[in-house]
Amino acid sequence: MRNAYEYEPGRSQWTGITGWLMVGSASAAIGCALPPVSPYPPLAAELVFAAASAVFACCWVVASYRARTGPLDKPSAPSGHRTGDERLAYLFAIGVPFAVAAALVVLCTGSSANGKEIERLDRVGYAEQKAEIVRLAGEPAFTPPKEDVYGWYDTDLVVRAAFDSGPREALLKRFRTSRSPEPGMRVTAYFAPAHPEEGVAAHPFMTRAWLGDPIAAFFGLLIFGGAAAMTKTFMDPSDMENLRRFRPRTHLPALAILLLGLVLLLPVSLEFPVAGYHRLSALLASLTPVLALTWVVKRRY
């Protein structure tokens, strides 16, 4: 027989408002981290939305405590499948794997000095340009093709770059070409035509370079899309009613795990080391969405 003084979780207008604000701001933080919106620390937009999500989570807990039903002779709120449960199921299914992806993107964030240098080079027009090979500065080293990989040549080259003030020669170390290099051949280099003092480089000066690779982005979406589909199997809409109703032993540990994840992202987001490390904590933070979901599923079963 159940205790007459036992309280059941309840729902009110405020639990709904704070709950959706919590989920919405967390989704916005993930959405800002993936493109990413902030190119280098501090990751202002991501931090603002993540902090808002933590605040709304606290508000949801308070609102849930105030909305609890009891004693047991007071009818509890109706349960069962609702349209909002279906939406919430898909939000969780998509949000968990992409929260992991967002944490990994934050892990790949370059330094503020690196980001400011990229912005400065963009302003002066440092970009991909064509340059002509003047002469070879070494013997080409050929790497034979392998399965699904083309062969290439690594060579030290002297190229002529067409600057606005006139052509200039530059040495490019270990320049890679798909065919044997020879004088007069045009290759792709990086320089700013109006600013010869910036020099000529064989590769772009970039951070988070993998995000610029369409193939990597495609396979990344494929992997995390598959993870979202797998997560959806644990997020049946009929079970969302229990997830939406605050239960301290289920939700407080899960929220604590997610809050720990946010704290672990701070060293990279604000660019300060902890015990000499700041990337390691971001890597650990990428595990917290999965750990929180695992806890919730374990408690459900």
Side-chain angles (χ1 to χ4, degrees), residues 31-106:
C32 288
L34 287 174
V37 171
S38 303
Y40 55 84
L43 308 184
E46 293 88 335
L47 287 172
V48 167
F49 283 117
S53 179
V55 170
F56 288 131
C58 293
C59 294
W60 177 70
V61 170
V62 172
S64 297
Y65 268 117
R66 293 177 61 87
R68 64 190 186 275
T69 59
L72 287 179
D73 56 351
K74 181 177 180 179
S76 51
S79 61
H81 175 75
R82 306 187 328 163
T83 304
D85 297 335
E86 179 75 30
R87 292 198 300 267
L88 192 62
Y90 279 102
L91 273 174
F92 269 93
I94 296 170
V96 171
F98 278 86
V100 174
L104 293 176
V105 171
V106 173

